[in-house]
Amino acid sequence: MTIATAKLTDPAVRAFVTALNAGDRTAFFDALTPGATMSDDGSDRDVEDWTEREIFSSSGHLDVQSETQNGHALVANYRNDTWGEMRTAWRFTVDGGKISRFETGQA
């Protein structure tokens, strides 16, 4: 069962997922703190380079299946034009209403 993005518990995570699914770079980076960091499958990555490749230029889309930890941990089906669809886990650190770090990887 998919959780509607509008129903996600944490407003910062909701803004992140909404912007990702809309392909809206401006709204996406507005959801992050300055200097936000991320990792993919346990390896730190450059946020701008990774998001351009894995989200924006490849039509990334997140269908949230479940959320835990007050909305700071998601399991979702993620798809893009490069890799197809896979089950992924996402963890978010939220500071001052924005995301300062996100971690993703296969679930």
Side-chain angles (χ1 to χ4, degrees), residues 4 11 17 21 25 37 40 50 53 55 67 74 86 89 91-92 94 96 106:
V17 175
N21 286 347
R25 286 177 182 84
T37 61
D40 182 7
W50 187 90
R53 189 177 62 256
I55 298 172
E67 65 172 356
L74 308 177
M86 65 190 86
R91 297 197 192 301
F92 299 92
V94 178
Q106 292 197 39

Side-chain angles (χ1 to χ4, degrees), residues 49-69:
D49 177 63
W50 187 90
T51 56
E52 181 58 36
R53 189 177 62 256
E54 299 292 336
I55 298 172
F56 300 117
S57 68
S58 61
S59 304
H61 191 87
L62 199 59
D63 289 320
V64 178
Q65 304 299 304
S66 65
E67 65 172 356
T68 56
Q69 299 177 10

Side-chain angles (χ1 to χ4, degrees), residues 2-19 21 61-65 67 71 74:
T2 300
I3 298 172
T5 303
K7 301 282 188 190
L8 293 175
T9 302
D10 188 274
V13 173
R14 189 168 54 242
F16 176 100
V17 175
T18 299
N21 286 347
H61 191 87
L62 199 59
D63 289 320
V64 178
Q65 304 299 304
E67 65 172 356
L74 308 177

Side-chain angles (χ1 to χ4, degrees), residues 16-100:
F16 176 100
V17 175
T18 299
L20 185 157
N21 286 347
D24 186 336
R25 286 177 182 84
T26 301
F28 183 88
F29 285 103
D30 283 349
L32 304 179
T33 63
T37 61
M38 59 101 31
S39 70
D40 182 7
D41 284 329
S43 298
D44 278 5
R45 305 283 186 209
D46 177 88
V47 173
E48 290 192 30
D49 177 63
W50 187 90
T51 56
E52 181 58 36
R53 189 177 62 256
E54 299 292 336
I55 298 172
F56 300 117
S57 68
S58 61
S59 304
H61 191 87
L62 199 59
D63 289 320
V64 178
Q65 304 299 304
S66 65
E67 65 172 356
T68 56
Q69 299 177 10
N70 295 317
H72 293 171
L74 308 177
V75 173
N77 292 331
Y78 184 76
R79 67 180 180 275
N80 67 24
D81 294 342
T82 303
W83 304 107
E85 185 168 312
M86 65 190 86
R87 189 168 173 84
T88 56
W90 298 74
R91 297 197 192 301
F92 299 92
T93 304
V94 178
D95 291 316
K98 294 194 176 220
I99 294 167
S100 61

